[in-house]
Amino acid sequence: MSVFRRDPFDPDQSLEHQHHAGCMHGASPVDGADGSQGETPQCSSTSCHGEHEKAISTEDAISHAVETAVVKAIFGQSDLSRRKVLAAAGAGVVAEIVRGMFPLDTAKAMAMEVGKIEKPDLSIGFIPITCATPIIMAEPMGFYEKHGLNAKVRRASGWAMVRDWAITKEVDAAHMLSPMPLSITLGAGSPKVPFYMPAVENINGQAITLANKHKGVKTAKDMKGFRFCVPFEYSMHNYLLRYYLAEGGLHPDKDVQIRVVPPPEMVANLKAGNVDGYLAPDPFNQRAVYENAGFIFKLSKEIWEGHPCCAFAISQEFAKTYPNTFLALFRSIVDATAYASDKSNRKEIAKAIAPRNYLNQPVTVLEQVLTGRYATGMGGIGNVPDRIDFDPMPWHSMAIWILTQMKRWKHVDTDFDYKTVAEEVYLATKCNTLASEMGYEDRTETYAKHVIMGKEFDPAKPDEYLASFPINNL
């Protein structure tokens, strides 16, 4: 994510939306929700080139937001008028006039008081995988503390445990798989509890890993009869594996076996011959290579470039009961995600999250995952810098794709409106607003078309998309 701090007293800077020209992580333009033609959604990842600075703190963000709002109001929301006056009179003169007209310091102090954190001591559940990098690193690297929180991460052994902790309020927030806030809100596979997904943690970062005895496998058709495992039923791993197999002509519930195994147990199951392979999060793909138990058959980005995986999730009840705490936590996660997206920080991050109380993995394994330079298990070295990347944008269109796959495989049996559920759970607009307030570049669209294995998904036509698959459980 690129930092773009807009100074309201600088005539050379626009206060209107700015876009970062560059990659889009698999997204393409799509019509806006109101039917108008949307602009091309842009990526804010640091894999695209631009100027990078450290994000501003919560206090600075509030101060900057007040200043910008006042200046915009004085100039009648006309950015052109503001810039002309500043250029003619000088920034210093205009700043003094504005301060004379409006008590900026008082307004900032009031905003700070209104934004007082109600519950600074927090517990956040996580699974020990690299997808959780921003949530984990935010503790040892000080991102929670920077935003006024005393947050501690709490390691769980599996996704059912994280889900149950979150539902029963044993933790205040959680690292979840991106389909989980949708399934929990719908009551699919769990009690029905309204959840928010304010931000995606990582994009890409998964792989299909096979046992060494299967090095002759070339396509999905060669996998008929295989026993696979995935980390959870409501996971991108399950839906991407099912999609890949079905596109190759195999029915995932008839031609292969897929069962749920917690990520930390996957390598042991592969070594014991209990499974032929898995589509899993790292570091357990790289760990299989490290232990000579398997090889990396296909990176998940080869199925869907820029797909979401894990996310920051919180109950709607908590967010509404402790709104300022929620915003401080949200800012911490966006801030940490931005830092993780800068590839020059990856080795530092690998060391921070490697210890026993976090991922409990060799630093060399984590560096291979985070830097994208890794042993493939086939005798070669892969060099894929975006093997994993970090972008907090929770696209509404991604939520709709996930919902189509939940329906496709009968993982949900209730009727719902795709758009309503997506916009209730995935806080894409709020994420954009928050990122902008913190000095990061923002996007104006929350829907995009996505391409999965060469097939375009249009979020405006989910039922047509669902009906286009000959292999399904409908």
Side-chain angles (χ1 to χ4, degrees):
M1 294 178 68
S2 305
V3 171
F4 192 90
R5 174 71 181 270
R6 302 184 184 90
D7 182 354
F9 294 109
D10 186 343
D12 295 324
Q13 288 189 14
S14 171
L15 298 185
E16 295 176 345
H17 290 300
Q18 300 291 323
H19 295 284
H20 180 42
C23 85
M24 291 158 37
H25 290 311
S28 61
V30 65
D31 289 351
D34 60 355
S36 60
Q37 180 64 39
E39 296 181 36
T40 301
Q42 301 293 349
C43 173
S44 55
S45 169
T46 52
S47 58
C48 308
H49 301 293
E51 295 297 318
H52 305 289
E53 305 171 19
K54 194 168 183 178
I56 58 179
S57 67
T58 298
E59 290 79 6
D60 285 345
I62 292 173
S63 176
H64 182 253
V66 170
E67 220 171 60
T68 301
V70 170
V71 172
K72 280 185 170 183
I74 287 173
F75 287 97
Q77 304 297 324
S78 172
D79 199 51
L80 182 61
S81 297
R82 178 191 65 87
R83 295 174 74 175
K84 282 183 177 180
V85 172
L86 283 166
V93 172
V94 174
E96 285 304 313
I97 292 173
V98 170
R99 290 187 176 95
M101 295 172 61
F102 190 89
L104 275 176
D105 290 340
T106 301
K108 290 177 184 179
M110 290 174 63
M112 295 291 183
E113 184 61 30
V114 170
K116 188 175 181 180
I117 294 171
E118 308 94 348
K119 187 181 181 183
D121 298 332
L122 300 175
S123 175
I124 304 169
F126 80 98
I127 297 290
I129 57 178
T130 50
C131 302
T133 291
I135 281 178
I136 297 170
M137 63 177 263
E139 181 183 315
M141 298 181 75
F143 288 93
Y144 295 132
E145 184 180 5
K146 172 182 173 182
H147 293 280
L149 299 171
N150 177 33
K152 302 297 181 185
V153 294
R154 180 180 174 188
R155 189 168 69 180
S157 59
W159 291 109
M161 180 181 288
V162 166
R163 178 200 62 201
D164 293 347
W165 281 356
I167 289 175
T168 61
K169 305 178 185 178
E170 288 189 51
V171 293
D172 300 298
H175 157 218
M176 287 190 181
L177 299 157
S178 51
M180 288 174 65
L182 296 167
S183 65
I184 296 171
T185 299
L186 291 170
S190 73
K192 185 175 181 178
V193 181
F195 260 73
Y196 286 139
M197 197 184 93
V200 168
E201 286 300 290
N202 71 297
I203 55 175
N204 301 330
Q206 324 306 305
I208 297 176
T209 293
L210 299 179
N212 285 327
K213 65 182 179 181
H214 295 307
K215 287 186 176 179
V217 167
K218 301 298 181 185
T219 68
K221 288 184 178 179
D222 299 328
M223 299 177 185
K224 189 170 184 177
F226 274 24
R227 296 160 300 164
F228 285 104
C229 61
V230 294
F232 198 60
E233 183 175 17
Y234 298 98
S235 69
M236 286 301 295
H237 312 85
N238 193 14
Y239 296 131
L240 290 176
L241 177 61
R242 286 170 172 273
Y243 194 101
Y244 174 75
L245 293 170
E247 289 297 293
L250 298 184
H251 195 298
D253 291 316
K254 297 176 182 178
D255 297 320
V256 301
Q257 296 178 37
I258 301 176
R259 63 190 180 93
V260 171
V261 172
E265 299 175 18
M266 288 183 169
V267 176
N269 273 274
L270 195 67
K271 291 173 76 171
N274 296 332
V275 296
D276 296 287
Y278 48 72
L279 200 159
D282 272 307
F284 300 106
N285 301 296
Q286 204 59 51
R287 189 65 190 248
V289 175
Y290 182 78
E291 296 190 20
N292 196 32
F295 68 99
I296 295 174
F297 173 75
K298 184 178 291 290
L299 297 178
S300 59
K301 71 184 291 290
E302 298 174 58
I303 300 172
W304 177 359
E305 173 71 37
H307 70 81
C309 186
C310 288
F312 156 49
I314 198 163
S315 71
Q316 292 186 22
E317 180 185 353
F318 185 96
K320 292 172 182 177
T321 304
Y322 307 106
N324 298 327
T325 304
F326 166 58
L327 285 176
L329 183 55
F330 199 169
R331 289 188 182 102
S332 302
I333 299 301
V334 170
D335 203 353
T337 304
Y339 193 84
S341 74
D342 187 336
K343 293 177 177 57
S344 67
N345 297 327
R346 300 284 175 85
K347 288 189 176 183
E348 174 195 7
I349 293 169
K351 292 177 182 176
I353 64 177
R356 181 181 298 273
N357 54 325
Y358 299 129
L359 295 193
N360 192 26
Q361 293 289 333
V363 172
T364 184
V365 170
L366 300 182
E367 285 186 352
Q368 288 185 65
V369 173
L370 294 175
T371 65
R373 185 167 176 78
Y374 61 96
T376 64
M378 293 288 282
I381 299 295
N383 188 15
V384 186
D386 60 349
R387 170 179 175 171
I388 187 170
D389 213 340
F390 301 92
D391 184 341
M393 176 63 174
W395 293 93
H396 289 141
S397 46
M398 290 177 171
I400 292 178
W401 184 85
I402 292 168
L403 291 169
T404 66
Q405 301 308 295
M406 288 170 65
K407 278 194 172 183
R408 179 183 182 182
W409 305 115
K410 281 205 168 181
H411 289 173
V412 60
D413 56 11
T414 56
D415 290 326
F416 55 82
D417 179 78
Y418 288 102
K419 186 172 180 290
T420 299
V421 174
E423 294 183 6
E424 176 190 350
V425 178
Y426 278 34
L427 302 187
T429 302
K430 182 63 181 176
C431 188
N432 277 338
T433 301
L434 197 69
S436 179
E437 289 174 359
M438 293 177 68
Y440 296 117
E441 292 179 289
D442 64 314
R443 300 146 172 160
T444 57
E445 297 300 320
T446 63
Y447 287 85
K449 292 178 181 177
H450 305 283
V451 177
I452 301 93
M453 291 186 69
K455 183 173 182 175
E456 185 178 78
F457 167 64
D458 184 346
K461 303 175 181 178
D463 288 325
E464 289 181 26
Y465 182 75
L466 183 59
S468 71
F469 296 109
I471 296 177
N472 57 68
N473 284 337
L474 298 174

PDB file of all heavy atoms in Angstrom, residues 328-340:
ATOM      1  N   ALA A 328      -9.702   1.595  16.278  1.00  0.00           N
ATOM      2  CA  ALA A 328      -8.279   1.520  16.585  1.00  0.00           C
ATOM      3  C   ALA A 328      -7.694   0.180  16.141  1.00  0.00           C
ATOM      4  O   ALA A 328      -6.585   0.112  15.589  1.00  0.00           O
ATOM      5  CB  ALA A 328      -8.054   1.726  18.082  1.00  0.00           C
ATOM      6  N   LEU A 329      -8.464  -0.896  16.345  1.00  0.00           N
ATOM      7  CA  LEU A 329      -8.019  -2.220  15.914  1.00  0.00           C
ATOM      8  C   LEU A 329      -7.977  -2.301  14.394  1.00  0.00           C
ATOM      9  O   LEU A 329      -7.021  -2.841  13.812  1.00  0.00           O
ATOM     10  CB  LEU A 329      -8.967  -3.280  16.487  1.00  0.00           C
ATOM     11  CG  LEU A 329      -8.627  -4.749  16.212  1.00  0.00           C
ATOM     12  CD1 LEU A 329      -7.215  -5.076  16.674  1.00  0.00           C
ATOM     13  CD2 LEU A 329      -9.653  -5.652  16.899  1.00  0.00           C
ATOM     14  N   PHE A 330      -8.993  -1.748  13.755  1.00  0.00           N
ATOM     15  CA  PHE A 330      -9.065  -1.704  12.299  1.00  0.00           C
ATOM     16  C   PHE A 330      -7.837  -0.966  11.746  1.00  0.00           C
ATOM     17  O   PHE A 330      -7.158  -1.438  10.819  1.00  0.00           O
ATOM     18  CB  PHE A 330     -10.361  -0.979  11.908  1.00  0.00           C
ATOM     19  CG  PHE A 330     -10.843  -1.205  10.505  1.00  0.00           C
ATOM     20  CD1 PHE A 330     -12.126  -0.780  10.144  1.00  0.00           C
ATOM     21  CD2 PHE A 330     -10.059  -1.806   9.524  1.00  0.00           C
ATOM     22  CE1 PHE A 330     -12.607  -0.949   8.852  1.00  0.00           C
ATOM     23  CE2 PHE A 330     -10.532  -1.980   8.232  1.00  0.00           C
ATOM     24  CZ  PHE A 330     -11.809  -1.552   7.900  1.00  0.00           C
ATOM     25  N   ARG A 331      -7.516   0.179  12.330  1.00  0.00           N
ATOM     26  CA  ARG A 331      -6.358   0.952  11.879  1.00  0.00           C
ATOM     27  C   ARG A 331      -5.058   0.164  12.074  1.00  0.00           C
ATOM     28  O   ARG A 331      -4.161   0.186  11.220  1.00  0.00           O
ATOM     29  CB  ARG A 331      -6.266   2.277  12.644  1.00  0.00           C
ATOM     30  CG  ARG A 331      -7.342   3.287  12.287  1.00  0.00           C
ATOM     31  CD  ARG A 331      -7.078   4.634  12.941  1.00  0.00           C
ATOM     32  NE  ARG A 331      -8.140   5.580  12.637  1.00  0.00           N
ATOM     33  CZ  ARG A 331      -9.119   5.919  13.461  1.00  0.00           C
ATOM     34  NH1 ARG A 331      -9.150   5.376  14.680  1.00  0.00           N
ATOM     35  NH2 ARG A 331     -10.040   6.781  13.113  1.00  0.00           N
ATOM     36  N   SER A 332      -4.964  -0.540  13.192  1.00  0.00           N
ATOM     37  CA  SER A 332      -3.760  -1.341  13.462  1.00  0.00           C
ATOM     38  C   SER A 332      -3.546  -2.384  12.376  1.00  0.00           C
ATOM     39  O   SER A 332      -2.419  -2.588  11.899  1.00  0.00           O
ATOM     40  CB  SER A 332      -3.890  -2.047  14.818  1.00  0.00           C
ATOM     41  OG  SER A 332      -4.084  -1.133  15.864  1.00  0.00           O
ATOM     42  N   ILE A 333      -4.641  -3.042  11.988  1.00  0.00           N
ATOM     43  CA  ILE A 333      -4.551  -4.108  10.986  1.00  0.00           C
ATOM     44  C   ILE A 333      -4.208  -3.535   9.611  1.00  0.00           C
ATOM     45  O   ILE A 333      -3.354  -4.074   8.892  1.00  0.00           O
ATOM     46  CB  ILE A 333      -5.872  -4.903  10.918  1.00  0.00           C
ATOM     47  CG1 ILE A 333      -6.177  -5.576  12.268  1.00  0.00           C
ATOM     48  CG2 ILE A 333      -5.824  -5.933   9.799  1.00  0.00           C
ATOM     49  CD1 ILE A 333      -5.113  -6.537  12.743  1.00  0.00           C
ATOM     50  N   VAL A 334      -4.858  -2.451   9.223  1.00  0.00           N
ATOM     51  CA  VAL A 334      -4.568  -1.826   7.924  1.00  0.00           C
ATOM     52  C   VAL A 334      -3.117  -1.354   7.886  1.00  0.00           C
ATOM     53  O   VAL A 334      -2.405  -1.523   6.889  1.00  0.00           O
ATOM     54  CB  VAL A 334      -5.537  -0.654   7.652  1.00  0.00           C
ATOM     55  CG1 VAL A 334      -5.095   0.153   6.431  1.00  0.00           C
ATOM     56  CG2 VAL A 334      -6.956  -1.182   7.440  1.00  0.00           C
ATOM     57  N   ASP A 335      -2.655  -0.771   8.990  1.00  0.00           N
ATOM     58  CA  ASP A 335      -1.285  -0.278   9.112  1.00  0.00           C
ATOM     59  C   ASP A 335      -0.283  -1.431   8.965  1.00  0.00           C
ATOM     60  O   ASP A 335       0.692  -1.353   8.198  1.00  0.00           O
ATOM     61  CB  ASP A 335      -1.130   0.397  10.476  1.00  0.00           C
ATOM     62  CG  ASP A 335       0.006   1.403  10.527  1.00  0.00           C
ATOM     63  OD1 ASP A 335       0.766   1.504   9.552  1.00  0.00           O
ATOM     64  OD2 ASP A 335       0.123   2.105  11.550  1.00  0.00           O
ATOM     65  N   ALA A 336      -0.509  -2.520   9.699  1.00  0.00           N
ATOM     66  CA  ALA A 336       0.392  -3.669   9.641  1.00  0.00           C
ATOM     67  C   ALA A 336       0.362  -4.326   8.266  1.00  0.00           C
ATOM     68  O   ALA A 336       1.399  -4.771   7.749  1.00  0.00           O
ATOM     69  CB  ALA A 336      -0.001  -4.684  10.718  1.00  0.00           C
ATOM     70  N   THR A 337      -0.820  -4.386   7.656  1.00  0.00           N
ATOM     71  CA  THR A 337      -0.943  -4.986   6.327  1.00  0.00           C
ATOM     72  C   THR A 337      -0.151  -4.181   5.305  1.00  0.00           C
ATOM     73  O   THR A 337       0.503  -4.738   4.413  1.00  0.00           O
ATOM     74  CB  THR A 337      -2.422  -5.078   5.912  1.00  0.00           C
ATOM     75  OG1 THR A 337      -3.142  -5.801   6.905  1.00  0.00           O
ATOM     76  CG2 THR A 337      -2.578  -5.791   4.574  1.00  0.00           C
ATOM     77  N   ALA A 338      -0.194  -2.855   5.425  1.00  0.00           N
ATOM     78  CA  ALA A 338       0.574  -1.992   4.528  1.00  0.00           C
ATOM     79  C   ALA A 338       2.070  -2.245   4.677  1.00  0.00           C
ATOM     80  O   ALA A 338       2.806  -2.317   3.692  1.00  0.00           O
ATOM     81  CB  ALA A 338       0.247  -0.532   4.814  1.00  0.00           C
ATOM     82  N   TYR A 339       2.515  -2.400   5.913  1.00  0.00           N
ATOM     83  CA  TYR A 339       3.932  -2.654   6.163  1.00  0.00           C
ATOM     84  C   TYR A 339       4.344  -4.010   5.575  1.00  0.00           C
ATOM     85  O   TYR A 339       5.407  -4.141   4.969  1.00  0.00           O
ATOM     86  CB  TYR A 339       4.203  -2.622   7.667  1.00  0.00           C
ATOM     87  CG  TYR A 339       5.670  -2.556   8.025  1.00  0.00           C
ATOM     88  CD1 TYR A 339       6.337  -1.342   8.062  1.00  0.00           C
ATOM     89  CD2 TYR A 339       6.386  -3.719   8.334  1.00  0.00           C
ATOM     90  CE1 TYR A 339       7.687  -1.267   8.392  1.00  0.00           C
ATOM     91  CE2 TYR A 339       7.735  -3.662   8.663  1.00  0.00           C
ATOM     92  CZ  TYR A 339       8.377  -2.430   8.692  1.00  0.00           C
ATOM     93  OH  TYR A 339       9.721  -2.374   9.010  1.00  0.00           O
ATOM     94  N   ALA A 340       3.471  -4.994   5.725  1.00  0.00           N
ATOM     95  CA  ALA A 340       3.771  -6.331   5.199  1.00  0.00           C
ATOM     96  C   ALA A 340       3.775  -6.350   3.678  1.00  0.00           C
ATOM     97  O   ALA A 340       4.464  -7.173   3.060  1.00  0.00           O
ATOM     98  CB  ALA A 340       2.762  -7.342   5.734  1.00  0.00           C
TER      99      ALA A 340
END
